[in-house]
Amino acid sequence: MASTARIMGVVNVTPDSFSDGGLFLDAEAAIAHGRELAAEGADILDVGGESTRPGADAVGAEEELARTLPVVEALAGEAGPGVPVSIDTSNAPVAAAALDAGAAIVNDVTALRGDPDLAGLCAEHGCDVVLMHMLGTPRTMQEDPRYDDVVDDVKAFLVERISVAIDAGIDERRIWVDPGIGFGKTVAHNLELLRRLGELRDLGRPIVVGTSRKTFIGRLTGREVDGRLGGSIASNVLAARSGAQMLRVHDVREMRDALKVTEAVLSPS
Ligand code: HH2
């Protein structure tokens, strides 16, 4: 592990993440959660207003904007905790409002395929962009996903999306790539992507990985979402060791500790 991977803390502003209360309470809870994750050592806070879990319906840009904007304003503004904020969206109007409110990164699970205006907007703002692989849409992606070779196919997709992004005027140095763990993949596909993650380094761009609490960990361990911390840590430590530079996680404090210990063992000073 050359250097410690950065940690992206997940701040979901979705009704299923914060169970009760109206939108204002959701935003307040999300802001408090973001501050806590920053205090625990998150390098980036990833604010999202639409669930992308398998089978989820799209919520619509207006609702997504109403959910995320107050949270981005608070976390990326002057009184925020002082770490960069990314907006987890595929919608240009949501990204535009977040960037205007101080977000520095657009994290797009559709890799600029969801909204034809998003690439140009990112180019104009000169922000960082995460391009993630997904087969199908959140609604359909887990219906019998198939690949010739999952790593080669994901890699080819990312090569194509990097070139689309560059053609739209996005500076190549601003681009991050993500294999999209759990997005149109079986357990075997996810494991193979993690096992061969190092092959994505050929793309020449920093790698983001999101395994935190995902279904494949539940399948392997028999645990529900709130019992998947051990599996999340194992998969993230291995991903960092294979060259992932950004780990998207819910449990920032535990992940930070795991990386510290891993790095101390691997790189004695
Ligand atoms: N995973 C999720 C959402 N956004 N972005 C990137 N770059 N990589 C990922 O793996 C990724 C992502 C899904 O996780 P979560 O936010 O926990 O769930 P939900 O979408 O249901 O809110």
Side-chain angles (χ1 to χ4, degrees), residues 8 10-14 16-17 46 48 50-54 56 88 107-109 130-132 177-183 208-214 248 250:
M8 178 186 252
V10 178
V11 183
N12 280 328
V13 204
T14 50
D16 30 344
S17 303
D46 189 40
E50 179 177 62
S51 178
T52 49
R53 71 179 190 285
D88 188 345
N107 174 24
D108 180 10
V109 297
V130 179
L131 302 177
M132 196 198 78
V177 293
D178 185 329
I181 298 297
F183 285 84
V208 183
V209 168
T211 65
S212 188
R213 300 182 182 173
K214 284 192 175 162
R248 184 181 181 279
H250 301 85

Side-chain angles (χ1 to χ4, degrees), residues 12-236:
N12 280 328
V13 204
T14 50
D16 30 344
S17 303
F18 298 96
S19 49
D20 44 27
L23 202 56
F24 178 70
L25 283 178
D26 283 349
E28 290 296 299
I31 293 162
H33 187 55
R35 288 185 187 284
E36 195 183 323
L37 295 185
E40 289 179 359
D43 299 292
I44 290 172
L45 295 173
D46 189 40
V47 178
E50 179 177 62
S51 178
T52 49
R53 71 179 190 285
D57 281 322
V59 299
E62 239 171 72
E63 174 68 16
E64 203 190 329
L65 183 67
R67 288 178 184 176
T68 51
L69 188 57
V71 180
V72 173
E73 279 171 344
L75 295 177
E78 298 235 318
V83 299
V85 169
S86 71
I87 178 75
D88 188 345
T89 191
S90 308
N91 287 313
V94 177
L99 291 167
D100 287 344
I105 303 162
V106 171
N107 174 24
D108 180 10
V109 297
T110 74
L112 305 175
R113 295 173 300 159
D115 184 329
D117 296 331
L118 190 53
L121 177 82
C122 292
E124 212 175 283
H125 274 265
C127 60
D128 282 14
V129 184
V130 179
L131 302 177
M132 196 198 78
H133 175 272
M134 169 167 37
L135 191 68
T137 65
R139 206 172 219 308
T140 62
M141 64 191 180
Q142 290 308 110
E143 292 167 7
D144 193 24
R146 283 168 195 258
Y147 299 88
D148 289 335
D149 176 297
V150 67
V151 179
D152 291 349
D153 291 5
V154 165
K155 223 166 135 179
F157 170 88
L158 291 171
V159 166
E160 190 258 335
R161 298 320 295 168
I162 290 171
S163 113
V164 166
I166 292 171
D167 287 349
I170 295 172
D171 184 338
E172 185 170 3
R173 292 166 301 182
R174 295 282 180 193
I175 299 173
W176 299 71
V177 293
D178 185 329
I181 298 297
F183 285 84
K185 280 112 188 163
T186 62
V187 173
H189 292 143
N190 292 317
L191 294 177
E192 182 148 10
L193 279 165
L194 289 171
R195 198 174 297 124
R196 294 170 54 197
L197 192 70
E199 294 178 36
L200 296 188
R201 284 189 279 188
D202 298 347
L203 296 168
R205 301 307 316 141
I207 301 166
V208 183
V209 168
T211 65
S212 188
R213 300 182 182 173
K214 284 192 175 162
T215 304
F216 81 99
I217 295 174
R219 294 263 165 78
L220 293 170
T221 59
R223 304 279 181 204
E224 295 302 323
V225 175
D226 60 359
R228 296 178 187 165
L229 178 58
S232 300
I233 289 176
S235 52
N236 276 296

